[in-house]
């Protein structure tokens, strides 16, 4: 049995003075030389490890672990660095979910730092002239910005699990922001792709990501971010209070309300922001216990449904067409329930029986081994209160990051962090981008008079797909996993679990594996991978397929026989580092 910490109320932040001693040891990578030679992104270690989406972020986390920090200390440093060097994906202007296993107390705590709608928002927040806005029209500008949660989440979890001084954890990023870092291929590609979808439309964003002649900055260009260095210096000195109150909060509100397509955030919305400790979503799969994040993300529950359905079948024969067929059908069934039932449970009632074993057995019996369903309907899980609801078809876009950390004290951490789509709302203030997380709500609030669970409401958190996961074996953390990828995240992370537990794949091979994704419609097969080769056989079973690029970002650590194995997704720029 896994032990969970009961949610407790948050304590207010204390003022913390920034450490004056310079701190930043760039970790020599020589210790990883052997593993790097075998695979440039993988690592094997005995004491501690970080796997994150940018080498500078992994190095910042590793340096903290090397100086005696906990996984939580390292997470603060990793997130600060990601804000700077992977600004298109996550940052202090966004939100996150965190799973933390305390190696001493043997307890799992899950933290919800999801962005929140302004208190004044109502069901028709994304309506104009009586009709819902188009997605791009809603995304760009201040309207889509929710109250950021990441800084408060980091502070809350750090107060409970940190060992090092908070201020010290920002020094690596402050130094790199002042000195500059080099734009990598991924960031350059992202700037170029977003150039004509609003990225040029906001002064600070344009000045930062574009050259004076208006062309997107390219790989190899040095980027200095003094504004972010100043913002992080304030947060380092004053904690989350320095972000949610005072000049930074005022700058956020000003940027949101003065932007084209203005939003309604107020300084009170920021000052009122709360991180919530939630009950983890845990379920059995084979001989393992899989734990994930509960609502407002649909990640843990939808993964639980997929794996609960697949638990009825033997997949151990490997990634065969028959096993992928069962996988795809399970995904359709689970995504159908997700669309109808899942949203912020503080605002909508959800069926208690979404992970009920009997219910999932019944759902599994709907799978025909020889014929694909075109689209699954939601089921009727055990639920004592019947409400008529309508499915939500909103999909989240893939601008997100995931990292995992293991420290020498036995603490284990899995965190998915986002500003929603690449470059979020496009609005930048004080050196960081603001999220567009409110577009994760359903813009429509009802269909034919039936309310949509994920409709906008004041103070509500938009439904997410983020799926930070810890798999336990014999009650000990065994696999830390998670990924970006919008509403495909659930598929990517579930596949990583199946690849490791059922197919016993090497961890890096599991990260490299070609993806097959279904969200209750067409099946995506990842172009240029072994997944593409299954096209004809899946079509023969009746699957409608689409071969396309898929952009996961799995970062994983596996712990076995006192050894840490790390992997990083080749589709992003990340690396696993350990000692
Ligand atoms: N914005 C991505 C997610 O929350 O799933």
């Amino acid at each position: 049995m896994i032990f969970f910490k009961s949610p407790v109320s948050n304590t207010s932040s204390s003022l913390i003075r920034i450490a004056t001693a310079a701190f930043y040891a760039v970790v020599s990578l020589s210790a990883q030389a052997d593993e790097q030679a075998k695979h440039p992104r993988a690592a094997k270690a005995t004491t501690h490890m970080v796997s994150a989406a940018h080498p500078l972020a992994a190095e910042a986390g590793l340096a903290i672990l090397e100086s005696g920090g906990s996984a939580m200390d390292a997470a603060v440093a990793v997130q600060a660095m990601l804000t700077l060097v992977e600004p298109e994906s996550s940052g202090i202007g966004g939100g996150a979910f965190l799973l933390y296993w305390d190696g001493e107390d043997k307890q799992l705590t899950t933290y919800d730092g999801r962005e929140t709608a302004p208190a004044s928002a109502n069901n028709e927040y994304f309506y104009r002239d009586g009709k819902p806005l188009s997605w791009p029209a809603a995304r760009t500008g201040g309207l889509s910005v929710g109250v950021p949660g990441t800084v408060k989440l980091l502070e809350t979890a750090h107060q409970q699990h940190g060992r090092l001084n908070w201020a010290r954890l920002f020094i690596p990023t402050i130094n790199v922001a002042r000195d500059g870092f080099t734009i990598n291929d991924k960031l350059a590609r992202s700037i170029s792709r977003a150039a004509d979808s609003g990225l040029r439309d906001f002064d600070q964003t344009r000045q930062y990501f574009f050259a004076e002649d208006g062309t997107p900055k390219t790989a190899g260009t040095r980027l200095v971010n003094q504004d972010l260095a100043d913002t992080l210096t304030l947060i380092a000195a004053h904690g989350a209070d320095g972000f949610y109150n005072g000049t930074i909060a005022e700058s956020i509100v000003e940027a949101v309300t003065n932007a084209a397509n203005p939003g309604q955030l107020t300084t009170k919305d920021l000052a009122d922001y709360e991180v919530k400790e939630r009950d983890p979503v845990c379920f059995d799969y084979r001989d393992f216990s899989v734990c994930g994040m509960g609502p407002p993300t649909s990640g843990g529950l939808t993964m639980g449904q997929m794996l609960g359905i697949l638990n009825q079948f033997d997949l151990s024969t490997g990634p065969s067409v028959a096993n992928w067929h069962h996988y795809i059908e399970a995904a359709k069934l689970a995504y159908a329930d997700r669309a109808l039932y899942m949203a912020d449970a503080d605002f909508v009632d959800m069926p208690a029986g979404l992970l009920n074993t009997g219910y999932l057995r019944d759902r599994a019996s709907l799978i025909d081994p020889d014929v694909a369903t075109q689209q699954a309907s939601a089921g009727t899980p055990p639920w004592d209160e019947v409400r008529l609801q309508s499915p939500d078809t909103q999909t989240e876009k893939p601008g997100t990051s995931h990292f995992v950390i293991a420290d020498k004290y036995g603490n284990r951490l899995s965190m998915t962090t986002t500003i929603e789509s690449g470059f979020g709302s496009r609005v930048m203030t004080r050196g960081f981008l603001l999220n567009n997380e409110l577009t994760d709500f359903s813009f429509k609030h009802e269909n034919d008079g039936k309310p949509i669970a994920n409709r906008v409401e004041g103070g509500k958190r938009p439904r997410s797909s983020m799926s930070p996961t810890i798999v336990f074996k014999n009650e000990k953390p065994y696999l830390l996993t998670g990924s970006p990828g919008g509403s495909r995240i659930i598929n990517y992370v579930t596949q990583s679990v199946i690849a490791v537990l059922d197919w016993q794949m090497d961890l890096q091979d599991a990260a490299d594996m070609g993806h097959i994704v279904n969200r209750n419609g067409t099946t995506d097969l990842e172009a240029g991978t072994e997944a593409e080769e299954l096209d004809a056989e899946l079509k023969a079973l009746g699957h409608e397929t689409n071969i396309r690029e898929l952009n996961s970002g799995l970062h994983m650590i596996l712990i076995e026989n006192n050894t840490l194995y790390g992997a990083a997704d080749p589709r992003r720029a990340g690396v696993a580092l350990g000692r």
Side-chain angles (χ1 to χ4, degrees):
M1 171 183 181
I2 313 296
F3 293 96
F4 310 119
K5 191 167 169 218
S6 326
V8 293
S9 61
N10 304 311
T11 51
S12 63
S13 66
S14 58
L15 295 183
I16 303 167
R17 296 279 137 219
I18 190 162
T20 46
F23 169 80
Y24 185 41
V26 176
V27 175
S28 154
L29 302 186
S30 58
Q32 279 86 47
D34 290 350
E35 283 304 311
Q36 300 271 342
K38 268 196 267 162
H39 195 292
R41 297 178 189 281
K44 182 176 168 189
T46 49
T47 311
H48 47 239
M49 184 171 281
V50 184
S51 180
H54 194 291
L56 285 177
E59 285 173 18
L62 189 60
I64 296 292
L65 296 174
E66 301 270 300
S67 50
S70 69
M72 193 59 231
D73 293 316
V76 178
V78 170
Q79 179 64 80
M81 191 65 85
L82 287 174
T83 306
L84 175 69
V85 297
E86 204 199 22
E88 70 277 27
S89 298
S90 79
I92 58 174
F97 295 113
L98 166 65
L99 265 59
Y100 198 89
W101 172 257
D102 187 312
E104 198 175 327
D105 297 351
K106 309 275 182 260
Q107 285 184 332
L108 180 68
T109 310
T110 73
Y111 298 90
D112 165 4
R114 184 69 164 164
E115 298 90 332
T116 300
S120 62
N122 63 26
N123 285 183
E124 302 211 338
Y125 186 79
F126 284 118
Y127 281 60
R128 291 294 173 273
D129 303 323
K131 286 199 194 116
L133 287 168
S134 70
W135 193 86
R139 185 268 319 275
T140 307
L143 190 67
S144 62
V145 181
V147 183
T150 298
V151 175
K152 194 74 176 239
L153 178 150
L154 292 174
E155 185 188 71
T156 304
H158 181 261
Q159 283 170 348
Q160 295 173 12
H161 303 288
R163 299 172 78 98
L164 301 185
N165 176 287
W166 163 264
R168 168 183 182 170
L169 309 174
F170 293 90
I171 294 175
T173 306
I174 292 169
N175 288 342
V176 177
R178 280 192 188 132
D179 295 347
F181 70 98
T182 306
I183 295 181
N184 64 12
D185 288 341
K186 175 181 175 275
L187 177 53
R189 255 194 329 271
S190 303
I191 300 171
S192 165
R193 278 186 192 148
D196 296 325
S197 62
L199 204 60
R200 292 177 206 277
D201 297 354
F202 301 93
D203 289 347
Q204 284 191 39
T205 320
R206 186 176 57 252
Q207 282 155 17
Y208 188 60
F209 290 112
F210 293 83
E212 277 181 20
D213 65 2
T215 54
K217 288 187 178 167
T218 51
T221 309
R222 198 126 194 99
L223 214 45
V224 171
N225 194 337
Q226 183 61 46
D227 287 347
L228 183 63
D230 294 344
T231 296
L232 294 180
T233 302
L234 252 171
I235 295 170
H238 300 291
D241 190 45
F243 183 87
Y244 292 92
N245 294 291
T247 59
I248 298 180
E250 284 158 15
S251 297
I252 292 172
V253 169
E254 198 180 301
V256 165
T257 49
N258 291 343
N261 203 18
Q264 300 174 7
L265 276 194
T266 64
T267 50
K268 182 167 184 340
D269 288 323
L270 279 138
D272 287 350
Y273 185 80
E274 282 181 1
V275 167
K276 301 190 181 185
E277 286 185 26
R278 304 279 187 187
D279 291 331
V281 170
C282 293
F283 50 89
D284 294 336
Y285 183 65
R286 314 298 183 204
D287 294 332
F288 301 84
S289 178
V290 180
C291 290
M293 189 78 215
T297 183
S298 57
L301 285 170
T302 312
M303 277 185 68
Q305 286 210 335
M306 287 170 71
L307 291 170
I309 292 168
L310 291 170
N311 219 6
Q312 311 304 318
F313 305 100
D314 177 9
L315 303 185
S316 65
T317 47
S320 62
V321 174
N323 286 341
W324 277 119
H325 169 72
H326 283 83
Y327 171 87
I328 293 166
E329 295 299 289
K332 289 176 188 167
L333 290 162
Y335 271 77
D337 273 9
R338 170 185 179 275
L340 188 63
Y341 297 119
M342 297 181 201
D344 183 348
D346 289 346
F347 283 74
V348 290
D349 295 319
M350 286 174 40
L354 283 166
L355 298 186
N356 178 283
T357 311
Y359 171 64
L360 294 179
R361 204 178 296 121
D362 290 348
R363 295 290 274 169
S365 70
L366 299 175
I367 297 178
D368 182 329
D370 301 317
V371 183
T373 340
Q374 287 320 302
Q375 197 173 44
S377 301
T380 48
W383 190 9
D384 38 16
E385 185 187 350
V386 177
R387 284 164 55 110
L388 295 175
Q389 294 187 152
S390 186
D392 167 20
T393 52
Q394 200 85 7
T395 57
E396 299 91 40
K397 302 289 181 291
T400 298
S401 201
H402 181 81
F403 58 88
V404 287
I405 305 175
D407 68 20
K408 66 180 176 187
Y409 311 105
N411 303 310
R412 312 290 182 232
L413 177 154
S414 182
M415 174 160 158
T416 313
T417 172
T418 187
I419 54 169
E420 216 307 88
S421 59
F423 301 98
S425 64
R426 276 71 173 126
V427 181
M428 201 168 181
T429 186
R430 298 239 178 184
F432 61 92
L433 283 156
L434 294 172
N435 69 82
N436 65 305
E437 215 68 52
L438 301 185
T439 60
D440 275 359
F441 280 118
S442 169
F443 293 4
K444 289 183 78 175
H445 58 82
E446 53 95 35
N447 270 325
D448 300 329
K450 293 183 196 163
I452 293 171
N454 187 34
R455 63 192 175 277
V456 186
E457 296 179 75
K460 188 175 175 181
R461 299 179 180 207
R463 183 191 62 200
S464 171
S465 301
M466 295 197 289
S467 308
T469 300
I470 300 184
V471 177
F472 292 83
K473 181 179 181 182
N474 300 328
E475 298 177 19
K476 293 190 188 129
Y478 176 67
L479 173 66
L480 320 178
T481 182
S483 177
S487 50
R488 294 187 177 88
I489 289 173
I490 296 160
N491 277 266
Y492 299 146
V493 183
T494 304
Q495 280 165 34
S496 72
V497 170
I498 292 170
V500 173
L501 304 193
D502 287 299
W503 300 338
Q504 297 179 3
M505 285 171 78
D506 167 84
L507 197 66
Q508 187 59 50
D509 290 345
D512 296 349
M513 181 177 76
H515 292 299
I516 296 186
V517 168
N518 197 291
R519 296 174 292 170
N520 200 19
T522 304
T523 299
D524 299 325
L525 307 179
E526 187 173 6
T529 72
E530 66 279 17
E532 194 182 324
E533 290 158 21
L534 300 181
D535 190 32
E537 287 172 277
L538 288 170
K539 278 200 174 104
L541 286 165
H543 294 282
E544 191 182 307
T545 58
N546 179 25
I547 296 171
R548 53 165 293 154
E549 279 187 16
L550 291 171
N551 196 11
S552 59
L554 288 158
H555 293 100
M556 301 189 277
I557 295 176
L558 185 121
I559 308 115
E560 191 154 44
N561 299 330
N562 299 318
T563 305
L564 304 165
Y565 300 88
D569 199 313
R571 299 158 189 86
R572 306 246 168 172
V575 66
L577 299 174
R579 182 90 60 199

